Amino acid sequence: MQPKATSRPAILAAARDLVRRQGWDALTIRSLASACGVSVGTVYHYFDSKDDLTAATVESVWQEIFCPGRGACLTDTKACIVWLFQRLAYGRQQYPGFFAKHAARLASSGEAVRPHRDRVWQHMAGQLTEVIRRDPYVRPGAFSDAFPPEAFARLLFSLLLAALIEGQEDPSAILTVTQRTLYGAVS
């Protein structure tokens, strides 16, 4: 018998597990309460509505995909890009259809999910900026006042999101852009 999940983190872990095992459509207040071994009221204690639960679960999934082991990707920008693509592959494996469902959900009822998504995305873009700033291989003059590291990080993050939406698994094009922009042309 599983112990009861009675904290917000434990309930979110159960929500991720439910989504992972049964798909996004299986996530309801009742199904989650049952999976946690608690009453529906207990879930409502932590989440005001199904939209609130869904948004928090989306944020939790994004964090699971992109937050563990960050230290492994902080050596240089190209290593970080490779790590991000590996994490995308992990996300596709653990949560089949999550990225497509999430994009559709944002299009249909983005207001509930947007603040949660934005927190994760801002964190990721900020981390990418830090990696670029600390990258020991960036050539002198790669950045200027008109083109600071933050601008390149936003560009890379946009390319990453496009790759995510398109289901690309090969980071070669983004690595080439990074190579030419930060390190110099490949001979």
Side-chain angles (χ1 to χ4, degrees):
M1 182 172 159
Q2 267 186 319
K4 290 183 178 183
T6 57
S7 69
R8 184 178 173 94
I11 291 171
L12 284 172
R16 286 191 315 272
D17 187 56
L18 188 63
V19 170
R20 186 181 297 117
R21 287 183 296 106
Q22 297 180 25
W24 198 250
D25 294 333
L27 182 63
T28 66
I29 299 285
R30 286 194 183 286
S31 65
L32 183 58
S34 177
C36 292
V38 298
S39 70
V40 168
T42 300
V43 176
Y44 275 115
H45 174 75
Y46 294 101
F47 304 97
D48 295 333
S49 64
K50 181 170 187 238
D51 279 346
D52 185 34
L53 168 64
T54 300
T57 303
V58 166
E59 180 177 7
S60 182
V61 168
W62 278 103
Q63 288 174 340
E64 178 187 328
I65 292 170
F66 290 108
C67 290
R70 276 191 320 238
C73 76
L74 299 179
T75 57
D76 64 71
T77 308
K78 287 171 63 175
C80 184
I81 291 166
V82 169
W83 180 83
L84 288 168
F85 269 81
Q86 290 168 346
R87 296 310 298 171
L88 286 175
Y90 167 83
R92 283 187 196 98
Q93 177 188 19
Q94 292 298 307
Y95 299 97
F98 168 74
F99 297 125
K101 284 255 189 192
H102 180 56
R105 177 129 175 96
L106 284 174
S108 66
S109 63
E111 291 308 314
V113 178
R114 190 167 287 122
H116 296 274
R117 178 213 58 197
D118 288 349
R119 273 195 298 275
V120 174
W121 287 7
Q122 287 171 0
H123 176 76
M124 290 172 60
Q127 289 295 315
L128 192 51
T129 298
E130 289 306 311
V131 169
I132 292 167
R133 284 187 177 155
R134 287 186 285 211
D135 188 334
Y137 306 111
V138 173
R139 66 179 167 76
F143 296 110
S144 66
D145 290 341
F147 185 62
E150 294 83 5
F152 189 64
R154 284 191 305 274
L155 175 65
L156 283 179
F157 192 68
S158 295
L159 292 172
L160 176 69
L161 290 176
L164 172 79
I165 291 166
E166 294 173 6
Q168 293 176 4
E169 296 187 9
D170 182 6
S172 298
I174 296 175
L175 289 171
T176 299
V177 168
T178 301
Q179 173 67 42
R180 291 181 179 180
T181 304
L182 296 187
Y183 309 121
V186 180
S187 42

